[in-house]
Amino acid sequence: MRLCLGYDDVHPFSKVNISDRASVQELLRTVLDPLEPFFSPQKARVNCPGATAVRFDQAASEVEGICRPLWGLSCLLAGGGEFHGAEWWIQGIKSGTDPENPEYWGYPRDNDQRMVEMCPLGFSLAIAPDFWNNFSEKERANVEAWLGNSINEKNMPNTNWLWFRVFANLGLKKNGGKYSQERLDKDIEHLNTFYRGDGWSNDGPEGIHQMDYYSSSFAIQILQLMYAKIAGDDDPERAAEFKKRAQQMALDLVHYWDDEGRAIPYGRSVGYRFAMVSFWSTLAFADVELPAPLTWGMVKGIVLRNLRWWQTQNAMWTPSGTLSLGYSYPSMYEQITENYNSPGSPYWACLAFVCLAAPDSHPFWTSKEELPGDAFPKIKALKHPGHIMSYLGGHCMLLSSGQACSYPMKGTHAKYGGFAYSSAYGYSVPPGLFSLEQYALASQLGLSDDGGEYWKTRRLCEYAAIEQRDEKPVLVSVWRPFPDVKIKTVLVPPEEATPNWHIRAHRIESGREVMTADGSFAIRNVNAENGRYLEAYDTTKCEGTSPIIVGNYDLATPAGWAAGSTGAFAVSAGAVGIKALEPETKRQAMLVNADPNSNLIESRTTIPTLQHTISKGETVWYVTGIYAKPSGEGVAKESYLDGWDAPPAVPAWLADEMSS
């Protein structure tokens, strides 16, 4: 039955009362059901709504549409659950792997997207007997030829993709099919060269520093755990090592989720949405022994709270009930998505449901949900990803320096090069490349040498490291937006005394005249009264901005500017703001009315920003205080600005560095 969501309709996903295994099974069914009308006649392909073109062919896009939901469906079936449409996928695999069928998927070429989709298929064959047992001998031979023979002879990217070939072979191996143990072993041996320590693997070889959700929940870490579960009896040494890595990494990853259930969006492919939580779900599937102080109640809480938060994101669905491209809402310009995100791509999100393969008796299901509470430090430096994590001030936040995608994808500077990433506010990506409004420099420092038309930000660093100041961690990076402009940036996490503030300091040596724009987090630019843009701050409504938002491109209006030491703030879904903390600052504060659809979470945002112009040959120090207090359960709107008038002082060690 085709689902059609009207003006006031709520997706069935949001109506499930998530509490136990049965409710999570039902939640998955609400994700799978709307796909029914989009299956091809022979069920081999799923053409999800949206005419978006991607870097691979349309057939591969539709193979994504059928294979990615298998992450959830196979775990539902493996755990004894039922789905009325399971036969669609069984028939689709038969048709798609049959060279004589008009809907045949086609053999993959080198670096073919079809190789990615072989991973959920191989995993499904390994854990859910319903698939292989429903194939005839000829159909099994077709699956062997498509899944095994074709991928083992092809070149693959030197990244997490190599795990996909492991699972293509593993799925066949578990069913007595033809596979290559030699290929499987070589790929795992090479993947182990990506390992950096303390549980963390890089998404690529030496020379690349990219540790985003692909290192944990989207690929490497979860596939290691799945391998440990499926192949552990045959390969106990590797299984033990992979579980050990998960135990180590769990104590770091716990810092990426807040008590509201939100994950910190960071890096690419965040359009996979609740797949972010699949690491925790896979801990249950693989039956990992948890490291203290982590408990199964905490793990269960992270997973279920995250799914509940996604239930509040009602705009993420298409009118047909399928997942859209985007994050909290459809991405109009697709700058938030990648050039490999087809309309079927978001169904990698079904990885979140791997926990359904764990039995009802597993402590993941029998434990009472818990919050991490004070069991973990509020500030923690993570050596390998180059992050300093903070859980002060009502949101999880990470400070970041040094990571970069191995190729210049859309918005890569915003997805990896930003200074801070928040579970409450999300990052912003430019929908255009002309003026500050389009660049949407949230948590970024932009520099322009042409009067403010084009802006350069941090993407690659010459140096990046966690250092110590007064026995506390800070992040130091050196980067060049232009060849003759050198910037040293120091990121300082919040303190208990000023939990809603963090500091970033920049020493800028400029060989040319440049304008600068230093942005805070982006916040919802919608008032609660009538849905229009925010106006001047109203103390009775606890909403608005200071100074006022003067409108796009109208930068000369005096009312829209304030002294840098006075700063700029915006209050709606909580409060964000920015102040210049350096002595005798020459910077000015204002609000950038960011172009719509530039932020992951809010479609309309404003960004408190500090601006200044540096002369050619000048060296300056900026010390920027960033304020953030999100809304949340039990947070009164009257308290949003409680800390605004008491920013942190410039640390003594920083004052010494500035003077020297």
Side-chain angles (χ1 to χ4, degrees):
M1 180 180 296
R2 183 183 293 269
L3 177 65
C4 185
L5 298 176
Y7 181 79
D8 289 323
D9 291 338
V10 176
H11 195 284
F13 180 87
S14 297
K15 299 177 181 179
V16 178
N17 180 20
I18 301 174
S19 59
D20 56 11
R21 190 165 177 258
S23 63
V24 177
Q25 290 176 334
E26 182 58 28
L27 191 72
L28 172 62
R29 295 185 188 105
T30 70
V31 176
L32 300 179
D33 271 332
L35 293 171
E36 180 179 4
F38 305 104
F39 274 84
S40 57
Q42 299 297 316
K43 298 292 188 288
R45 303 180 184 184
V46 175
N47 186 12
C48 294
T52 301
V54 283
R55 70 183 185 190
F56 43 85
D57 58 282
Q58 180 62 24
S61 174
E62 295 172 11
V63 173
E64 276 193 334
I66 185 173
C67 284
R68 296 194 168 196
L70 283 170
W71 286 123
L73 176 62
S74 62
C75 292
L76 175 68
L77 299 177
E82 297 179 349
F83 179 62
H84 69 93
E87 178 59 34
W88 309 336
W89 274 270
I90 294 171
Q91 180 57 47
I93 296 168
K94 292 177 181 179
S95 301
T97 56
D98 181 0
E100 298 177 1
N101 191 293
E103 295 182 4
Y104 175 57
W105 291 337
Y107 278 116
R109 300 173 179 173
D110 289 341
N111 305 318
D112 198 309
Q113 183 66 25
R114 290 164 178 80
M115 297 173 176
V116 180
E117 314 321 315
M118 290 179 177
C119 189
L121 177 55
F123 172 76
S124 299
L125 296 178
I127 71 161
D130 285 8
F131 292 101
W132 192 262
N133 291 345
N134 275 283
F135 300 155
S136 67
E137 288 302 314
K138 181 180 179 181
E139 289 163 348
R140 290 177 180 179
N142 287 339
V143 173
E144 288 173 348
W146 188 81
L147 191 59
N149 296 345
S150 58
I151 196 171
N152 287 327
E153 305 302 324
K154 297 294 186 292
N155 294 324
M156 299 189 74
N158 191 19
T159 65
N160 68 85
W161 274 44
L162 295 171
W163 269 115
F164 306 154
R165 185 159 58 195
V166 169
F167 272 81
N169 282 290
L170 188 59
L172 294 172
K173 178 181 179 179
K174 293 297 290 185
N175 289 283
K178 296 178 181 178
Y179 73 100
S180 172
Q181 185 67 44
E182 179 184 11
R183 181 75 271 175
L184 187 155
D185 287 333
K186 285 184 177 179
D187 282 338
I188 293 180
E189 289 170 9
H190 184 76
L191 284 159
N192 279 333
T193 67
F194 297 174
Y195 185 61
R196 294 294 177 266
D198 300 323
W200 285 90
S201 287
N202 200 33
D203 188 13
E206 198 71 41
I208 294 172
H209 186 201
Q210 190 173 357
M211 294 182 181
D212 51 24
Y213 284 100
Y214 279 92
S215 291
S216 57
S217 283
F218 293 167
I220 293 175
Q221 190 65 248
I222 59 154
L223 294 174
Q224 289 176 164
L225 283 177
M226 290 175 178
Y227 179 87
K229 176 67 172 180
I230 296 168
D233 291 343
D234 298 332
D235 195 356
E237 186 175 339
R238 280 184 181 143
E241 171 62 19
F242 291 154
K243 287 187 176 183
K244 177 183 175 183
R245 293 180 189 178
Q247 291 170 326
Q248 293 174 304
M249 198 172 188
L251 298 178
D252 285 348
L253 287 178
V254 72
H255 294 273
Y256 288 73
W257 278 264
D258 67 19
D259 288 354
E260 302 284 329
R262 303 169 296 197
I264 300 175
Y266 174 77
R268 64 190 175 112
S269 297
V270 294
Y272 298 161
R273 295 183 171 99
F274 31 98
M276 290 178 176
V277 84
S278 63
F279 170 81
W280 305 102
S281 192
T282 309
L283 288 179
F285 168 73
D287 202 24
V288 174
E289 183 178 348
L290 298 181
L294 200 62
T295 68
W296 282 113
M298 293 177 189
V299 173
K300 180 181 182 179
I302 290 171
V303 174
L304 299 195
R305 285 192 299 273
N306 184 253
L307 292 174
R308 291 188 195 108
W309 183 79
W310 282 109
Q311 287 184 303
T312 69
Q313 305 304 295
N314 297 317
M316 69 180 179
W317 307 98
T318 70
S320 300
T322 58
L323 284 168
S324 67
L325 287 164
Y327 196 70
S328 288
Y329 60 91
S331 176
M332 175 180 174
Y333 296 114
E334 297 179 6
Q335 78 285 357
I336 290 171
T337 60
E338 323 306 346
N339 64 4
Y340 52 77
N341 287 151
S342 80
S345 292
Y347 284 88
W348 204 260
C350 289
L351 266 172
F353 296 97
V354 172
C355 55
L356 292 177
D360 227 352
S361 59
H362 194 283
F364 176 87
W365 296 114
T366 60
S367 297
K368 182 180 179 181
E369 290 182 49
E370 297 177 82
L371 291 168
D374 294 326
F376 297 91
K378 299 300 183 184
I379 302 291
K380 184 177 181 180
L382 306 186
K383 170 185 174 182
H384 299 285
H387 291 162
I388 297 178
M389 313 303 297
S390 166
Y391 198 1
L392 293 171
H395 62 137
C396 284
M397 180 182 70
L398 67 83
L399 304 179
S400 183
S401 290
Q403 287 207 40
C405 187
S406 58
Y407 61 95
M409 65 166 54
K410 290 184 291 184
T412 184
H413 62 288
K415 295 170 182 177
Y416 293 95
F419 303 125
Y421 296 84
S422 166
S423 61
Y425 296 110
Y427 61 71
S428 297
V429 179
L433 298 176
F434 191 84
S435 82
L436 279 178
E437 286 77 10
Q438 292 180 17
Y439 277 87
L441 298 178
S443 291
Q444 297 180 81
L445 173 66
L447 297 96
S448 172
D449 67 350
D450 62 5
E453 293 188 354
Y454 293 91
W455 294 82
K456 299 289 292 291
T457 66
R458 186 178 71 166
R459 185 172 85 86
L460 301 176
C461 294
E462 296 180 358
Y463 169 84
I466 297 171
E467 298 182 0
Q468 297 290 314
R469 300 290 191 275
D470 288 345
E471 300 182 348
K472 296 178 181 179
V474 298
L475 262 175
V476 180
S477 63
V478 177
W479 51 289
R480 293 179 186 267
F482 301 99
D484 57 353
V485 178
K486 181 179 179 180
I487 302 176
K488 176 183 177 181
T489 294
V490 183
L491 305 178
V492 186
E495 299 272 0
E496 293 277 359
T498 51
N500 300 109
W501 290 90
H502 72 274
I503 292 174
R504 54 180 183 243
H506 309 287
R507 183 182 189 275
I508 306 172
E509 304 173 57
S510 187
R512 66 181 72 187
E513 182 176 286
V514 289
M515 292 177 62
T516 65
D518 207 356
S520 73
F521 293 113
I523 193 171
R524 180 190 305 161
N525 188 8
V526 176
N527 72 45
E529 183 177 0
N530 55 27
R532 296 195 175 196
Y533 281 166
L534 296 172
E535 298 178 348
Y537 183 69
D538 186 329
T539 56
T540 63
K541 297 177 181 178
C542 299
E543 186 178 74
T545 71
S546 177
I548 63 171
I549 302 173
V550 296
N552 284 356
Y553 321 114
D554 188 10
L555 301 181
T557 303
W561 293 83
S565 57
T566 301
F569 65 78
V571 182
S572 58
V576 300
I578 193 167
K579 283 185 178 181
L581 304 181
E582 69 270 13
E584 300 178 0
T585 182
K586 297 179 180 178
R587 292 191 286 172
Q588 290 184 289
M590 47 82 71
L591 290 108
V592 173
N593 191 21
D595 266 18
N597 308 304
S598 54
N599 185 260
L600 287 178
I601 295 175
E602 299 290 348
S603 57
R604 298 174 178 88
T605 60
T606 188
I607 306 172
T609 301
L610 295 171
Q611 289 200 56
H612 182 230
T613 297
I614 302 174
S615 301
K616 179 179 179 179
E618 189 177 6
T619 296
V620 302
W621 271 98
Y622 292 159
V623 183
T624 303
I626 307 297
Y627 183 83
K629 185 170 184 178
S631 59
E633 186 176 350
V635 181
K637 63 181 181 180
E638 291 81 7
S639 72
Y640 288 163
L641 289 175
D642 277 359
W644 172 249
D645 290 327
V650 177
W653 59 262
L654 179 55
D656 289 343
E657 291 187 22
M658 295 170 66
S659 63
S660 64

